[in-house]
Amino acid sequence: MSVDAALARLQDLLGNAGLITSAPERQPYEHGPRYGAGQALCVARPANVAEAAELMRLCAAEKLRLIPQGANTGLVGAASPDSSGLQLILSMERIKGVIDIDPVDGVIQAWAGTRLSDLNQALAPHGLCFPIDLGADPSVGGMLAANTGGARLIRYGDVRHNTLGLQALLMQPPGELLKMGNRLHKNNTGPDWKQLFIGTAGSYGIVTQAVLRAHPLPRQRATALIVPSSLEAGLRLLQDAQAQFADFLTAFEGISRNALASVLRHLPQVSAPFDPLPDYALLVELSSSSAASEHFDLDKLFMAWLERHFDDAIVDAVVDKPETLWRLRHAISDSVKQEGKIVAFDISVSRSRMPAFRAEALALVERDFAGAEVFDFGHWGDGGVHFNLAIPPAQQPQFPPERIEALRTALYDLVAKPYQGSFSAEHGIGPFNQHYYQRYTQPEQRALAGRVQAVFDPHCLLGNTRFT
Amino acid sequence: MSVDAALARLQDLLGNAGLITSAPERQPYEHGPRYGAGQALCVARPANVAEAAELMRLCAAEKLRLIPQGANTGLVGAASPDSSGLQLILSMERIKGVIDIDPVDGVIQAWAGTRLSDLNQALAPHGLCFPIDLGADPSVGGMLAANTGGARLIRYGDVRHNTLGLQALLMQPPGELLKMGNRLHKNNTGPDWKQLFIGTAGSYGIVTQAVLRAHPLPRQRATALIVPSSLEAGLRLLQDAQAQFADFLTAFEGISRNALASVLRHLPQVSAPFDPLPDYALLVELSSSSAASEHFDLDKLFMAWLERHFDDAIVDAVVDKPETLWRLRHAISDSVKQEGKIVAFDISVSRSRMPAFRAEALALVERDFAGAEVFDFGHWGDGGVHFNLAIPPAQQPQFPPERIEALRTALYDLVAKPYQGSFSAEHGIGPFNQHYYQRYTQPEQRALAGRVQAVFDPHCLLGNTRFT
């Protein structure tokens, strides 16, 4: 079939509201928010699962490649078409809405195109939330495709941990609907197929709906910015906080002096929490869905803990309102962007090796990439490190693209090899970092991935991410 | 190769300590604790992963079927050979021991043959535990094969939720070692292959070692046996307890009047907690790894909660030591066994439908299977129901095997069809219940399972469980 004939078939199938072909209207779907830019044949926006299934059958018959897309907020280019102009973007934005909420089960069932903010708006009247905490507003399908983490992973886990069931359309047999799991909290009846559709960028099938675990909304919260006497003391505090507060510990974030200074430079209305600024600070948050009472007041509990560690593991601390401290933390990314050209890292190491990794990474940059400035911060609770660098304008001539690539590779090599860490902690794999997947993944695992891909997508018609 | 030649090759490979061929010595490996009994060619007990890999290559070459076995504590016959005398039992009991504990990471790495009790013994000096709570003492490999749940799933999740990494030997290519994940809490670098080896009874490969999440040992605990004003009120209490206590809620168990009465009949030293016995009671437990303090005393917190619900959702309650109340709960299974011939069910429904399911299941038994007595109990926190029946001796002539099979099918049909529940909540799938897997699993899912099995085990040489 010719391209024109295929477009005519798509027009018949999807109607005007379901098909975008003009270049200006395609544009917002063709560009990712950080990486990924190309040109699509068209954007297909099916209105329901039946239309999406029919679209997959058409693509299978005509060997047209589909790029699944949710809210287009992913950071590794997995939802962007290549530049061939031959790939279809399958946007799930019209297959949206909350299907059901059961507050006793603590679950919400929603279509793939539903936004995170819509889940939370629907859950709030029941005193519930979906506790994936991040700046963007992804769709349910996108969160599953990336296995989104966020700042409160230490308390709630990632999206995988909060998925009870899902449904997906397969490319083989084309358009077949697979129903996996449901709203049960305990169910052991064979392979847990839904796991293959989580964190795989839609390359095993198109998620159409999911049943997710909802959690009670917090009703009290206590936060402090802490200066540990050393990074090793910070680890002792983390371990003790987990033992003392169990899962009331909702965040344990690390902020370097450079990151803090950058925020203070670019948000002048924020005053310095410490003077002079410490080498490193920790933002610690407790929260509970239980209202404060005489027997259980998080502020008092937290103060007693801080006092116990003062003059030993803690040398200074600011106890303040959560909004104030999180504002500072959330301003880091945007502030650092104003320091120069950003080279961002979304990596993780085992928690016990965070201080050693940081020291070695800083030394590597100083030795081989002098002129690049490190503004690191991250999620100590789960080992996540945003080891972000900025190249100040004056230094940029010394950092052509190949030197930035060398910097990336040197840091990824350090984290993935001696530290056995992850080169993609929470953003997943897409065309942007697929060559690092190939560099660091065991060949046996890639061979297996190829054999399994032949089962799910024998003609490579789903997405631009290949795990082989 | 003849059977004798194969045995000679195995003898060369494994030595005397690694091979059991005599019938009396094979016998403990050939019989499961509840279902499963057969006759094996031999029991292979490799001393290390290299020997296990070589064994798999031999089996692949000679088309000998391997039945993986850990501590042989599973309840669905998945670790038992058939009666052909041609299958090899692959016992992992010699590939055991703790490899590493990292208290900062909160992880333990152990070989597959390590027992749950050995994990906990090694973790205790670090103030940690592996919180899978059950009567048996399975191996790490067995817990992964069954995705073990237990009585505290509401707090800690199942084994899948607590597995960070694992390694497994594949049958295709034979003896290849796949390393999946590690000790990272956050890592999104492609398909999470380890999920396919969890809950699949060893039919995708042989797990050799795992990295598991350890949790702080509890240091205070509060328990009560509660009589709810109705089962619906029980659900309201469950929902409120989750909101008020977050993850300090470690158990929320249901016990029917019959189950309680049976314990009192057969454990005469236990006195009745209520007189008369209520229709239904709930065992609720809070626990925390934080020591009691003036700001945080679980007993006081719990008492305040009980008082708040008294005369509304709660009509009576006994607050007692955890040991006392759990002794009563743990005695149910053995007490009910003395009431007659047991027909046990390990099922689950969504929590909000537990009261309706119970009423309908009781009515079904009364209408169609009068004479069978119901002694139900279960895990309200996760929707798990042990809807166990006993046929008293006087009634047994009216319950020949085909009527018991009809009873099983009627109850499984009720749970799996109108209630969309699970016919195997925590024991998994094995030859015992495989025909129910076929009855209740979507044909599309079974077809997919067949295609994926061809990738992992094209000649059906791993185990007796088939997901096709």
Side-chain angles (χ1 to χ4, degrees), chain A residues 7 10-11 14-31 38-46 55 65-70 72 79 81 85-94:
Chain A
L7 282 174
L10 288 166
Q11 178 73 39
L14 301 168
N16 282 336
L19 190 67
I20 296 174
T21 53
S22 83
E25 286 182 90
R26 283 193 329 251
Q27 209 267 354
Y29 299 86
E30 290 174 335
H31 291 75
Q39 191 185 325
L41 176 63
C42 62
V43 181
R45 303 166 65 245
L55 174 68
R65 191 182 283 204
L66 273 180
I67 310 299
Q69 188 177 97
N72 196 17
L86 295 172
Q87 302 184 336
L88 279 79
I89 295 172
L90 165 53
S91 168
M92 296 296 281
E93 63 189 346
R94 290 172 74 204

Side-chain angles (χ1 to χ4, degrees), chain B residues 231-453:
Chain B
L231 293 196
E232 289 71 21
L235 286 184
R236 289 201 304 277
L237 290 171
L238 169 59
Q239 200 181 342
D240 192 59
Q242 282 208 293
Q244 294 298 317
F245 304 126
D247 283 355
F248 292 132
L249 181 67
T250 17
F252 201 102
E253 302 274 298
I255 308 176
S256 68
R257 186 210 311 255
N258 276 1
L260 203 51
S262 178
V263 171
L264 297 172
R265 268 197 296 280
H266 298 107
L267 275 186
Q269 64 275 42
V270 172
S271 58
F274 307 105
D275 184 20
L277 291 180
D279 263 1
Y280 210 84
L282 300 166
L283 171 55
V284 180
E285 178 183 86
L286 307 185
S287 73
S288 168
S289 48
S290 177
S293 71
E294 56 176 322
H295 301 302
F296 181 51
D297 181 324
L298 280 182
D299 276 324
K300 288 185 187 156
L301 194 61
F302 200 21
M303 286 305 291
W305 182 80
L306 291 172
E307 278 163 25
R308 201 158 62 248
H309 288 288
F310 230 90
D311 287 333
D312 173 24
I314 298 179
V315 298
D316 204 350
V318 172
V319 177
D320 208 334
K321 286 200 290 278
E323 307 80 78
T324 309
L325 296 180
W326 278 106
R327 182 158 171 254
L328 204 152
R329 165 66 182 79
H330 286 313
I332 297 175
S333 276
D334 280 342
S335 299
V336 174
K337 274 184 199 154
Q338 300 178 55
E339 304 285 348
K341 181 178 165 53
I342 296 300
V343 186
F345 289 89
D346 161 42
I347 56 190
S348 73
V349 294
S350 79
R351 301 196 310 200
S352 57
R353 301 185 78 186
M354 282 191 297
F357 170 76
R358 180 171 190 262
E360 208 164 330
L362 289 173
L364 183 154
V365 171
E366 197 181 328
R367 190 186 65 221
D368 297 337
F369 300 96
E373 285 175 37
V374 179
F375 297 84
D376 62 311
F377 58 103
H379 315 292
W380 271 47
D382 56 44
V385 182
H386 293 299
F387 197 83
N388 288 3
L389 296 97
I391 320 280
Q395 294 289 339
Q396 288 172 16
Q398 276 73 59
F399 283 86
E402 59 277 13
R403 192 157 179 232
I404 288 182
E405 193 61 21
L407 164 59
R408 277 197 194 285
T409 302
L411 273 166
Y412 281 137
D413 274 0
L414 179 65
V415 75
K417 291 174 182 177
Y419 281 89
Q420 299 184 287
S422 173
F423 66 95
S424 189
E426 55 184 348
H427 298 166
I429 307 296
F432 160 68
N433 57 2
Q434 186 166 342
H435 59 298
Y436 291 112
Y437 170 85
Q438 266 124 5
R439 187 178 178 98
Y440 303 119
T441 307
Q442 195 196 11
E444 291 82 356
Q445 202 157 314
R446 289 167 47 202
L448 176 66
R451 299 200 300 274
V452 176
Q453 179 167 332

